[in-house]
Structures are given as C-alpha cells and as structure tokens.
Coordinates of all heavy atoms in Angstrom, one line a residue:
N6 N 189.0 87.7 79.8 CA 190.2 88.3 79.2 C 191.4 87.5 79.5 O 191.7 87.3 80.7 CB 190.2 89.7 79.8 CG 191.4 90.6 79.4 OD1 192.5 90.0 79.3 ND2 191.2 91.8 79.3
P7 N 192.2 87.1 78.5 CA 193.3 86.3 78.8 C 194.4 86.9 79.7 O 195.0 86.3 80.5 CB 193.9 86.0 77.4 CG 192.8 86.2 76.5 CD 191.9 87.2 77.1
Q8 N 194.6 88.2 79.5 CA 195.6 88.9 80.4 C 195.2 88.9 81.8 O 196.0 88.7 82.7 CB 195.8 90.4 79.9 CG 196.5 90.5 78.6 CD 195.6 90.3 77.4 OE1 194.4 90.3 77.5 NE2 196.2 90.2 76.2
E9 N 193.9 89.0 82.1 CA 193.4 89.0 83.5 C 193.6 87.5 84.0 O 193.9 87.4 85.2 CB 192.0 89.4 83.6 CG 191.8 90.9 83.4 CD 190.3 91.2 83.3 OE1 189.4 90.4 83.6 OE2 190.0 92.4 83.0
Q10 N 193.4 86.5 83.2 CA 193.5 85.2 83.6 C 195.0 84.9 83.9 O 195.3 84.2 84.9 CB 193.1 84.2 82.5 CG 191.6 84.2 82.3 CD 191.2 83.2 81.2 OE1 192.0 82.6 80.5 NE2 189.9 83.1 81.0
V11 N 195.9 85.4 83.2 CA 197.3 85.2 83.4 C 197.7 85.9 84.8 O 198.4 85.4 85.6 CB 198.2 85.8 82.3 CG1 199.7 85.8 82.6 CG2 198.0 84.9 81.0
R12 N 197.2 87.1 85.0 CA 197.5 87.8 86.3 C 196.9 87.0 87.4 O 197.6 86.9 88.5 CB 196.9 89.2 86.3 CG 197.8 90.2 85.5 CD 197.3 91.7 85.7 NE 196.0 92.0 85.2 CZ 195.8 92.3 83.9 NH1 196.8 92.4 83.1 NH2 194.6 92.6 83.5
E13 N 195.7 86.5 87.3 CA 195.2 85.7 88.4 C 196.0 84.4 88.6 O 196.2 84.0 89.7 CB 193.7 85.3 88.0 CG 193.0 84.3 88.9 CD 192.9 84.9 90.4 OE1 193.0 86.1 90.6 OE2 192.6 84.0 91.3
A14 N 196.5 83.8 87.5 CA 197.3 82.6 87.6 C 198.6 83.0 88.3 O 199.1 82.2 89.1 CB 197.6 82.0 86.2
Q15 N 199.2 84.1 88.0 CA 200.4 84.5 88.7 C 200.2 84.7 90.2 O 201.0 84.3 91.0 CB 200.9 85.8 88.1 CG 201.5 85.7 86.8 CD 201.9 87.0 86.2 OE1 201.2 88.0 86.3 NE2 203.0 87.1 85.4
R16 N 199.0 85.3 90.6 CA 198.7 85.5 92.0 C 198.5 84.1 92.7 O 199.0 83.9 93.7 CB 197.4 86.3 92.1 CG 197.0 86.6 93.5 CD 195.6 87.2 93.6 NE 194.6 86.3 93.2 CZ 194.2 85.2 94.0 NH1 194.7 85.0 95.1 NH2 193.2 84.4 93.5
R17 N 197.8 83.2 92.0 CA 197.6 81.9 92.6 C 198.9 81.1 92.7 O 199.1 80.4 93.7 CB 196.6 81.1 91.7 CG 195.2 81.6 91.8 CD 194.2 80.9 91.0 NE 194.1 79.4 91.4 CZ 193.6 78.5 90.6 NH1 193.1 78.8 89.4 NH2 193.6 77.3 91.0
A18 N 199.8 81.3 91.7 CA 201.1 80.6 91.8 C 201.9 81.1 93.0 O 202.5 80.3 93.7 CB 201.9 80.8 90.5
Q19 N 201.8 82.4 93.2 CA 202.6 83.0 94.4 C 202.0 82.5 95.7 O 202.7 82.2 96.6 CB 202.5 84.5 94.3 CG 203.4 85.2 95.4 CD 204.8 84.8 95.3 OE1 205.4 84.9 94.3 NE2 205.4 84.3 96.5
E20 N 200.7 82.3 95.7 CA 200.0 81.7 96.9 C 200.5 80.3 97.2 O 200.8 79.9 98.3 CB 198.5 81.7 96.8 CG 197.9 83.1 96.9 CD 196.3 83.0 96.7 OE1 195.8 81.9 96.6 OE2 195.7 84.0 96.7
L21 N 200.7 79.6 96.1 CA 201.2 78.2 96.2 C 202.6 78.2 96.7 O 203.0 77.3 97.5 CB 201.0 77.4 94.9 CG 199.6 77.1 94.5 CD1 199.5 76.6 93.1 CD2 199.1 76.0 95.5
V22 N 203.4 79.1 96.2 CA 204.8 79.2 96.7 C 204.8 79.5 98.2 O 205.6 78.8 98.9 CB 205.6 80.3 95.9 CG1 206.9 80.6 96.6 CG2 205.8 79.8 94.5
N23 N 204.0 80.4 98.6 CA 203.9 80.7 100.0 C 203.4 79.5 100.9 O 204.0 79.2 101.9 CB 203.0 81.9 100.3 CG 203.6 83.2 99.7 OD1 204.8 83.3 99.4 ND2 202.7 84.2 99.4
Q24 N 202.5 78.8 100.3 CA 202.0 77.6 101.1 C 203.1 76.5 101.2 O 203.2 75.9 102.2 CB 200.8 77.0 100.3 CG 199.5 77.8 100.5 CD 198.3 77.1 99.8 OE1 198.3 75.9 99.6 NE2 197.4 77.9 99.3
Q25 N 203.8 76.4 100.1 CA 204.9 75.4 100.1 C 206.0 75.8 101.1 O 206.4 74.9 101.9 CB 205.6 75.3 98.7 CG 206.7 74.2 98.7 CD 207.5 74.2 97.4 OE1 207.4 75.2 96.7 NE2 208.2 73.2 97.2
K26 N 206.3 77.0 101.2 CA 207.3 77.5 102.2 C 206.8 77.2 103.6 O 207.5 76.8 104.5 CB 207.6 79.0 102.0 CG 208.4 79.2 100.8 CD 208.7 80.7 100.6 CE 209.5 81.0 99.4 NZ 209.7 82.5 99.2
Q27 N 205.5 77.5 103.8 CA 204.9 77.2 105.1 C 204.9 75.7 105.5 O 205.2 75.4 106.6 CB 203.4 77.8 105.1 CG 202.8 77.9 106.4 CD 201.4 78.5 106.3 OE1 200.6 78.1 105.4 NE2 201.1 79.5 107.1
M28 N 204.6 74.9 104.5 CA 204.6 73.5 104.7 C 206.0 73.0 105.0 O 206.2 72.1 105.8 CB 204.0 72.7 103.5 CG 202.5 72.8 103.4 SD 201.8 71.9 102.0 CE 202.4 70.3 102.4
Q29 N 207.0 73.5 104.4 CA 208.4 73.1 104.6 C 208.8 73.4 106.1 O 209.4 72.6 106.8 CB 209.4 73.8 103.7 CG 209.4 73.3 102.3 CD 210.2 74.1 101.3 OE1 210.4 75.3 101.5 NE2 210.8 73.4 100.4
S30 N 208.4 74.6 106.6 CA 208.6 75.0 107.9 C 207.9 74.0 108.9 O 208.5 73.6 109.9 CB 208.2 76.4 108.2 OG 208.9 77.3 107.5
Q31 N 206.7 73.7 108.6 CA 205.9 72.8 109.4 C 206.5 71.4 109.4 O 206.6 70.7 110.5 CB 204.5 72.8 109.0 CG 203.7 74.0 109.3 CD 202.3 74.1 108.8 OE1 202.0 73.3 107.9 NE2 201.5 75.0 109.3
A32 N 207.0 70.9 108.3 CA 207.6 69.6 108.2 C 208.9 69.6 109.0 O 209.2 68.6 109.7 CB 207.8 69.3 106.7
A33 N 209.6 70.7 108.9 CA 210.9 70.7 109.7 C 210.6 70.7 111.2 O 211.5 70.2 112.0 CB 211.7 71.9 109.3
A34 N 209.5 71.2 111.6 CA 209.1 71.3 113.0 C 208.3 70.1 113.5 O 207.9 70.1 114.7 CB 208.4 72.6 113.3
L35 N 208.2 69.1 112.7 CA 207.4 67.9 113.2 C 208.1 67.2 114.4 O 209.3 67.2 114.5 CB 207.4 66.8 112.0 CG 206.4 67.0 111.0 CD1 206.6 66.0 109.8 CD2 204.9 66.9 111.5
P36 N 207.3 66.7 115.3 CA 207.8 66.0 116.4 C 208.6 64.7 115.9 O 208.4 64.3 114.8 CB 206.6 65.5 117.2 CG 205.5 66.4 116.8 CD 205.8 66.8 115.3
Q37 N 209.5 64.3 116.7 CA 210.3 63.1 116.3 C 209.4 61.9 116.2 O 208.3 61.8 116.8 CB 211.4 62.8 117.4 CG 212.4 63.9 117.5 CD 213.2 64.0 116.2 OE1 213.6 63.0 115.6 NE2 213.5 65.3 115.8
P38 N 209.8 60.9 115.4 CA 209.0 59.7 115.3 C 208.7 59.1 116.6 O 209.5 59.0 117.5 CB 209.9 58.7 114.4 CG 210.8 59.6 113.7 CD 211.0 60.8 114.5
G39 N 207.4 58.7 116.8 CA 207.0 58.1 118.1 C 206.5 59.1 119.1 O 205.8 58.8 120.0
Q40 N 206.7 60.4 118.8 CA 206.2 61.4 119.7 C 204.7 61.7 119.4 O 204.3 61.6 118.3 CB 207.0 62.7 119.6 CG 208.4 62.6 120.3 CD 209.1 63.9 120.2 OE1 209.0 64.7 119.4 NE2 209.9 64.1 121.3
Q41 N 204.0 62.1 120.5 CA 202.6 62.4 120.4 C 202.4 63.5 119.3 O 203.1 64.5 119.3 CB 202.1 62.8 121.7 CG 200.6 63.0 121.7 CD 200.1 63.3 123.1 OE1 200.8 63.3 124.1 NE2 198.8 63.6 123.3
G42 N 201.4 63.3 118.5 CA 200.9 64.3 117.6 C 201.6 64.2 116.2 O 201.1 64.9 115.3
R43 N 202.6 63.5 116.1 CA 203.4 63.4 114.8 C 202.5 62.9 113.7 O 202.4 63.4 112.6 CB 204.6 62.6 114.9 CG 205.4 62.5 113.6 CD 206.7 61.7 113.8 NE 207.3 61.4 112.5 CZ 208.2 62.2 111.9 NH1 208.6 63.3 112.5 NH2 208.7 61.9 110.7
D44 N 201.8 61.8 114.0 CA 201.0 61.1 112.9 C 199.9 62.0 112.4 O 199.7 62.1 111.2 CB 200.4 59.8 113.4 CG 201.4 58.7 113.6 OD1 202.5 58.8 113.1 OD2 201.1 57.7 114.3
E45 N 199.2 62.7 113.3 CA 198.2 63.7 112.9 C 198.7 64.8 112.1 O 198.1 65.2 111.1 CB 197.4 64.2 114.2 CG 196.3 65.1 113.9 CD 195.2 64.5 113.0 OE1 194.9 63.2 113.1 OE2 194.5 65.2 112.2
Q46 N 199.9 65.3 112.5 CA 200.5 66.4 111.8 C 200.9 66.0 110.4 O 200.8 66.7 109.4 CB 201.7 67.0 112.5 CG 201.2 67.8 113.8 CD 202.4 68.4 114.5 OE1 203.5 68.6 114.0 NE2 202.2 68.7 115.8
L47 N 201.5 64.8 110.3 CA 201.8 64.2 109.0 C 200.6 64.1 108.1 O 200.7 64.4 106.9 CB 202.5 62.9 109.1 CG 204.0 62.9 109.4 CD1 204.5 61.5 109.7 CD2 204.8 63.5 108.3
K48 N 199.5 63.6 108.7 CA 198.3 63.4 107.9 C 197.8 64.8 107.4 O 197.4 64.9 106.2 CB 197.2 62.8 108.8 CG 195.9 62.5 108.1 CD 194.9 61.9 109.1 CE 193.5 61.8 108.5 NZ 192.6 61.3 109.4
Q49 N 197.9 65.8 108.2 CA 197.4 67.1 107.8 C 198.3 67.7 106.7 O 197.8 68.3 105.7 CB 197.4 68.1 109.0 CG 196.3 67.8 109.9 CD 196.4 68.7 111.2 OE1 197.3 69.5 111.3 NE2 195.4 68.5 112.1
L50 N 199.6 67.5 106.8 CA 200.6 67.9 105.8 C 200.3 67.2 104.5 O 200.4 67.8 103.4 CB 202.0 67.7 106.2 CG 202.5 68.8 107.2 CD1 203.9 68.4 107.7 CD2 202.6 70.2 106.6
N51 N 200.1 65.9 104.5 CA 199.8 65.2 103.3 C 198.5 65.6 102.6 O 198.4 65.7 101.4 CB 199.7 63.7 103.6 CG 201.1 63.1 103.7 OD1 202.0 63.4 102.9 ND2 201.3 62.1 104.6
Q52 N 197.5 66.0 103.4 CA 196.2 66.5 102.9 C 196.5 67.8 102.2 O 195.9 68.1 101.1 CB 195.2 66.6 104.0 CG 194.6 65.3 104.5 CD 193.7 65.4 105.7 OE1 193.7 66.4 106.4 NE2 192.9 64.4 105.9
R53 N 197.2 68.7 102.8 CA 197.6 70.0 102.2 C 198.4 69.8 100.9 O 198.1 70.5 100.0 CB 198.3 70.8 103.2 CG 197.4 71.4 104.3 CD 198.2 72.3 105.2 NE 198.7 73.5 104.5 CZ 199.6 74.3 105.0 NH1 200.1 74.1 106.2 NH2 200.0 75.3 104.3
K54 N 199.3 68.8 101.0 CA 200.1 68.6 99.8 C 199.2 68.1 98.6 O 199.3 68.6 97.5 CB 201.2 67.5 100.0 CG 202.0 67.2 98.8 CD 202.9 66.0 99.1 CE 202.1 64.7 99.3 NZ 202.1 63.7 98.3
D55 N 198.3 67.2 98.9 CA 197.3 66.7 97.9 C 196.5 67.9 97.4 O 196.2 67.9 96.1 CB 196.4 65.6 98.5 CG 197.2 64.3 98.8 OD1 198.3 64.2 98.3 OD2 196.6 63.5 99.5
D56 N 196.1 68.8 98.2 CA 195.3 69.9 97.8 C 196.1 70.8 96.9 O 195.6 71.3 95.9 CB 194.8 70.7 99.0 CG 193.8 71.8 98.6 OD1 192.9 71.6 97.9 OD2 194.1 73.0 99.1
M57 N 197.4 71.0 97.3 CA 198.3 71.8 96.4 C 198.5 71.2 95.1 O 198.5 71.9 94.1 CB 199.6 72.1 97.1 CG 199.5 73.0 98.3 SD 201.1 73.3 99.1 CE 202.0 74.1 97.8
V58 N 198.6 69.9 95.0 CA 198.7 69.2 93.7 C 197.5 69.5 92.8 O 197.6 69.8 91.6 CB 199.0 67.7 93.9 CG1 198.8 66.9 92.6 CG2 200.3 67.4 94.5
R59 N 196.3 69.4 93.5 CA 195.1 69.7 92.7 C 195.1 71.2 92.2 O 194.7 71.4 91.1 CB 193.9 69.4 93.6 CG 192.5 69.7 93.0 CD 191.4 69.6 93.9 NE 191.5 70.5 95.1 CZ 191.4 71.8 95.1 NH1 191.1 72.4 94.0 NH2 191.5 72.5 96.2
Q60 N 195.5 72.1 93.1 CA 195.5 73.5 92.7 C 196.5 73.8 91.6 O 196.2 74.6 90.7 CB 195.9 74.4 93.9 CG 194.8 74.4 95.0 CD 195.2 75.3 96.2 OE1 195.6 76.4 96.0 NE2 195.1 74.7 97.4
V61 N 197.7 73.1 91.6 CA 198.6 73.2 90.5 C 198.0 72.7 89.2 O 198.2 73.4 88.1 CB 200.0 72.5 90.8 CG1 200.9 72.4 89.6 CG2 200.7 73.2 92.0
S62 N 197.3 71.6 89.3 CA 196.7 71.1 88.1 C 195.6 72.1 87.5 O 195.6 72.3 86.3 CB 196.0 69.8 88.4 OG 195.3 69.3 87.3
E63 N 194.8 72.7 88.4 CA 193.9 73.6 88.0 C 194.5 74.9 87.4 O 194.0 75.4 86.4 CB 193.0 74.1 89.2 CG 192.0 73.0 89.6 CD 191.3 73.3 90.9 OE1 191.5 74.4 91.5 OE2 190.5 72.5 91.4
L64 N 195.6 75.3 88.0 CA 196.4 76.4 87.5 C 196.9 76.2 86.1 O 196.8 77.0 85.2 CB 197.5 76.8 88.5 CG 198.3 78.0 88.2 CD1 197.5 79.3 88.2 CD2 199.4 78.1 89.3
E65 N 197.4 75.0 85.9 CA 197.9 74.6 84.6 C 196.8 74.7 83.5 O 197.0 75.2 82.4 CB 198.6 73.2 84.7 CG 199.2 72.8 83.4 CD 199.8 71.4 83.5 OE1 199.4 70.6 84.4 OE2 200.7 71.1 82.7
Q66 N 195.7 74.1 83.9 CA 194.5 74.2 83.0 C 194.1 75.6 82.7 O 193.8 76.0 81.5 CB 193.3 73.4 83.6 CG 193.6 71.9 83.6 CD 192.4 71.2 84.4 OE1 191.4 71.8 84.8 NE2 192.6 69.9 84.6
Q67 N 194.1 76.5 83.7 CA 193.8 77.9 83.5 C 194.7 78.5 82.5 O 194.3 79.3 81.6 CB 193.7 78.6 84.8 CG 193.4 80.1 84.7 CD 193.5 80.8 86.1 OE1 193.7 80.2 87.1 NE2 193.2 82.1 86.1
L68 N 196.0 78.3 82.7 CA 197.0 78.9 81.8 C 196.9 78.3 80.4 O 197.1 79.1 79.4 CB 198.4 78.6 82.4 CG 198.8 79.4 83.6 CD1 200.1 78.9 84.2 CD2 198.9 80.9 83.2
N69 N 196.6 77.1 80.3 CA 196.4 76.5 78.9 C 195.2 77.2 78.2 O 195.3 77.4 77.0 CB 196.2 75.0 79.0 CG 197.5 74.3 79.3 OD1 198.6 74.8 79.0 ND2 197.4 73.1 79.8
R70 N 194.1 77.4 79.0 CA 193.0 78.1 78.4 C 193.3 79.5 78.0 O 193.0 79.9 76.9 CB 191.8 78.1 79.4 CG 191.0 76.8 79.5 CD 189.7 77.0 80.3 NE 190.0 77.5 81.6 CZ 190.2 76.7 82.7 NH1 190.2 75.4 82.6 NH2 190.4 77.3 83.9
A71 N 194.0 80.2 78.8 CA 194.4 81.6 78.5 C 195.3 81.6 77.3 O 195.2 82.5 76.4 CB 195.1 82.2 79.7
A72 N 196.3 80.7 77.2 CA 197.2 80.6 76.1 C 196.4 80.3 74.8 O 196.6 81.0 73.7 CB 198.2 79.6 76.3
G73 N 195.4 79.5 74.8 CA 194.6 79.2 73.7 C 193.8 80.4 73.2 O 193.7 80.7 72.0
Q74 N 193.3 81.1 74.2 CA 192.5 82.3 73.9 C 193.4 83.4 73.3 O 193.1 84.1 72.3 CB 191.8 82.9 75.1 CG 190.7 82.1 75.6 CD 190.1 82.6 76.9 OE1 190.7 83.4 77.6 NE2 188.9 82.2 77.2
M75 N 194.7 83.5 73.8 CA 195.6 84.5 73.2 C 196.0 84.1 71.8 O 196.1 85.0 70.9 CB 196.9 84.6 74.1 CG 196.7 85.3 75.4 SD 198.2 85.3 76.3 CE 197.7 86.3 77.7
R76 N 196.2 82.8 71.6 CA 196.5 82.4 70.2 C 195.4 82.7 69.2 O 195.5 83.2 68.1 CB 196.8 80.9 70.1 CG 198.2 80.6 70.6 CD 198.6 79.1 70.3 NE 197.7 78.1 71.0 CZ 197.9 77.7 72.2 NH1 198.9 78.1 72.9 NH2 197.0 76.8 72.7
G77 N 194.1 82.5 69.7 CA 193.0 82.8 68.9 C 192.8 84.3 68.6 O 192.5 84.7 67.5
D78 N 193.1 85.1 69.7 CA 193.1 86.6 69.5 C 194.1 87.0 68.5 O 193.8 87.9 67.7 CB 193.3 87.3 70.9 CG 192.1 87.1 71.8 OD1 191.0 86.6 71.4 OD2 192.3 87.4 73.0
Q79 N 195.3 86.5 68.6 CA 196.4 86.8 67.7 C 196.0 86.5 66.2 O 196.2 87.2 65.3 CB 197.7 86.2 68.1 CG 198.3 86.8 69.3 CD 199.6 86.1 69.7 OE1 199.8 85.0 69.3 NE2 200.3 86.7 70.6
R80 N 195.4 85.3 66.1 CA 195.0 84.8 64.8 C 193.9 85.8 64.2 O 194.0 86.2 63.0 CB 194.5 83.4 64.9 CG 194.5 82.6 63.6 CD 194.1 81.1 63.8 NE 193.6 80.8 65.1 CZ 194.2 80.0 66.0 NH1 195.3 79.4 65.7 NH2 193.7 79.7 67.1
D81 N 193.0 86.1 65.0 CA 191.9 87.0 64.6 C 192.5 88.4 64.2 O 192.1 89.0 63.2 CB 190.9 87.2 65.7 CG 190.1 86.0 66.0 OD1 190.1 85.1 65.1 OD2 189.4 85.9 67.0
A82 N 193.4 88.9 65.0 CA 194.1 90.2 64.7 C 194.8 90.1 63.4 O 194.8 91.0 62.5 CB 195.0 90.6 65.8
G83 N 195.5 89.0 63.1 CA 196.3 88.8 61.9 C 195.3 88.8 60.7 O 195.6 89.4 59.7
N84 N 194.2 88.1 60.9 CA 193.2 88.0 59.8 C 192.7 89.4 59.5 O 192.5 89.8 58.3 CB 192.1 87.1 60.1 CG 192.5 85.6 60.1 OD1 193.6 85.3 59.5 ND2 191.8 84.8 60.8
R85 N 192.4 90.2 60.5 CA 191.9 91.6 60.3 C 192.9 92.4 59.6 O 192.5 93.2 58.7 CB 191.4 92.2 61.6 CG 190.1 91.6 62.1 CD 189.6 92.5 63.3 NE 190.5 92.4 64.4 CZ 190.3 91.6 65.5 NH1 189.3 90.8 65.6 NH2 191.2 91.6 66.5
L86 N 194.2 92.3 59.9 CA 195.2 93.0 59.2 C 195.3 92.7 57.8 O 195.6 93.6 56.9 CB 196.5 92.8 59.9 CG 196.8 93.5 61.2 CD1 198.1 93.1 61.9 CD2 196.7 95.0 61.1
R87 N 195.1 91.4 57.4 CA 195.2 91.0 56.0 C 194.0 91.5 55.2 O 194.1 91.6 54.0 CB 195.3 89.5 56.0 CG 196.7 89.0 56.3 CD 196.9 87.5 56.0 NE 196.2 86.7 56.9 CZ 196.7 86.3 58.1 NH1 197.8 86.7 58.5 NH2 196.0 85.5 58.9
E88 N 192.9 91.8 55.9 CA 191.7 92.2 55.2 C 191.7 93.6 54.6 O 192.4 94.4 54.8 CB 190.5 92.0 56.1 CG 190.2 90.6 56.4 CD 189.0 90.5 57.4 OE1 188.5 91.5 58.0 OE2 188.6 89.4 57.7

C-alpha cells in the first residue's frame, strides 16, 4: 500500500534526523587532534555517516516506488471513472 510506504518512509526519515543530531553532538565532543581515541571515534563517525548515506538512498528509492504506485492507482481510478 503506497500510503503505508509513505508513512514508513516518514518514520525512517525522522530516525535519520535523530541519528544526524546524535552524530553532530558526538562530533562536537571529539577529543582534540592528537589526543587518544580521536582517530577511532572519527572512524566510527565516518562509518555511521556512510551507513546514513546508504539509508537515505534506500529511502529515496522507497519513496520513488510509492510515488509510482500512487500514479498508477490514480490512473486506474481515472480510467474506471471514464468507463
């Protein structure tokens, strides 16, 4: 159902917003350059960022599929009305 897909996409988008805010806080709290643990924390943040990029791409694909289904549903409804 396209409407359910859109609701799920909205939920996932909100999760991504929350993750981004969390990452911003973590980035702001990084140790100074040269301090112990900074490189590992940067590596983890970069991995999370890459994962978020992948999730945004998947979300975009999901929304495109839902939009295509909605267009098809509207076209079908229009054809039934003309009949």
Side-chain angles (χ1 to χ4, degrees):
N6 174 327
Q8 288 83 10
E9 289 175 10
Q10 289 179 357
V11 169
R12 280 192 293 277
E13 173 63 16
Q15 288 174 322
R16 185 191 63 74
R17 289 178 61 196
Q19 186 58 52
E20 285 178 6
L21 287 167
V22 167
N23 293 339
Q24 286 180 29
Q25 181 188 19
K26 289 178 182 177
Q27 192 176 46
M28 285 182 60
Q29 285 175 326
S30 295
Q31 291 173 342
L35 279 172
Q37 295 297 317
Q40 289 185 326
Q41 185 176 356
R43 180 181 171 89
D44 290 343
E45 183 60 31
Q46 288 180 22
L47 276 173
K48 181 179 174 185
Q49 290 174 358
L50 283 174
N51 280 322
Q52 288 172 342
R53 286 184 61 196
K54 179 189 65 111
D55 291 344
D56 185 51
M57 286 179 67
V58 167
R59 181 188 53 76
Q60 290 179 52
V61 167
S62 177
E63 290 172 1
L64 185 58
E65 183 179 23
Q66 291 172 5
Q67 179 183 357
L68 287 170
N69 285 336
R70 283 191 300 273
Q74 288 176 345
M75 286 179 177
R76 281 191 299 274
D78 290 349
Q79 287 175 345
R80 201 174 10 247
D81 291 345
N84 289 340
R85 283 191 296 261
L86 284 174
R87 283 190 287 278
E88 292 175 352

